[in-house]
Amino acid sequence: MSRSFNRKQEIYKIDWQLPAVSSSASAHHINRDLFVLSYGALVAQLCKDYERDEDVNKNLDSMGYNIGIRLIEDFLANTGIKKCRSYNETVDVIAKVAFKMYLGITPTMIGGNDGGNSFSLILDANPLDDYVEELPPGRSSLSYCNLLSGIIRGALEMIHLPADVTFIQDRLKGDDVTEIGITFLQKSDEKKSKRNK
């Protein structure tokens, strides 16, 4: 009888020594690392498959869009965030919650102070280009991280906020920072007037 009692104590000791990280958080960390490591191979393969940079950029954006329309469900389920009241709040959630959750970084948000519909996210660090020093020779118009703009565009479209998302600056092209521009296609005034009808 004393043996079974000791055995139960050992089982409880093991449970207490488990890391205090949720399985969801550790899964996101593993997914992020796997994604970052395999992303370079994906871009390299697209560069082999397509001669023109515009075709590679288009394919990266399309892949990102398809990821974004599925990723928004995971994001909303894991964060419990309710509907944002403004474009400013939406971009703030993208910068402070979504980027942190999936890529482990927090970009700086610029714009939107005047109630407009154009914003920029400044990425001081971009995990997707951590292992890349420069663009391949002859690929000066390649938007290496164009997948991110597709992801943002797809996720926003799924919550009925169509937007144009493009890279404005890119460190791989010699700029000081990486900047993603987000322009919502509906003015916030139009959005309010449609609700009132």
Side-chain angles (χ1 to χ4, degrees):
M1 227 197 229
S2 64
R3 275 188 152 174
S4 64
F5 178 73
N6 286 338
R7 191 172 184 185
K8 286 183 179 178
Q9 282 183 332
E10 288 175 16
I11 292 171
Y12 291 123
K13 285 180 184 177
I14 292 171
D15 287 340
W16 285 105
Q17 294 174 4
L18 291 174
V21 176
S22 72
S23 60
S24 166
S26 62
H28 284 295
H29 180 70
I30 292 167
N31 289 340
R32 180 185 67 223
D33 290 344
L34 177 64
F35 178 65
V36 167
L37 290 172
S38 59
Y39 186 70
L42 170 72
V43 175
Q45 185 61 49
L46 285 172
C47 287
K48 287 179 185 175
D49 293 346
Y50 299 97
E51 290 181 21
R52 296 176 352 131
D53 291 344
E54 294 78 22
D55 295 333
V56 175
N57 294 342
K58 183 179 176 182
N59 276 282
L60 287 171
D61 183 71
S62 177
M63 288 178 191
Y65 178 83
N66 289 327
I67 292 170
I69 62 176
R70 289 167 180 80
L71 196 63
I72 188 68
E73 292 176 15
D74 178 68
F75 176 76
L76 293 173
N78 286 321
T79 60
I81 291 177
K82 302 296 179 200
K83 188 174 182 176
C84 295
R85 294 171 292 208
S86 66
Y87 291 146
N88 194 29
E89 187 178 347
T90 302
V91 176
D92 197 45
V93 167
I94 292 170
K96 293 181 179 170
V97 182
F99 268 88
K100 184 70 171 176
M101 185 173 167
Y102 293 107
L103 291 176
I105 60 171
T106 305
T108 306
M109 183 181 79
I110 296 176
N113 295 337
D114 58 352
N117 62 334
S118 293
F119 301 84
S120 286
L121 296 176
I122 307 295
L123 284 68
D124 294 324
N126 184 356
L128 292 184
D129 63 18
D130 278 350
Y131 302 107
V132 181
E133 292 180 16
E134 59 187 27
L135 292 174
R139 296 286 186 169
S140 60
S141 61
L142 175 67
S143 185
Y144 183 82
C145 297
N146 211 35
L147 190 89
L148 289 178
S149 53
I151 291 172
I152 295 169
R153 187 173 58 85
L156 287 171
E157 194 168 300
M158 288 306 291
I159 56 172
H160 307 290
L161 295 173
D164 181 36
V165 184
T166 57
F167 273 84
I168 297 170
Q169 295 184 65
D170 193 344
R171 278 194 174 158
L172 293 176
K173 294 181 179 181
D175 297 319
D176 293 333
V177 294
T178 299
E179 180 179 357
I180 302 173
I182 302 173
T183 303
F184 291 96
L185 300 178
Q186 277 186 332
K187 296 274 188 195
S188 55
D189 299 339
E190 292 175 25
K191 192 175 158 188
K192 288 178 187 173
S193 66
K194 284 185 180 180
R195 268 193 233 142
N196 293 337
K197 289 182 178 182

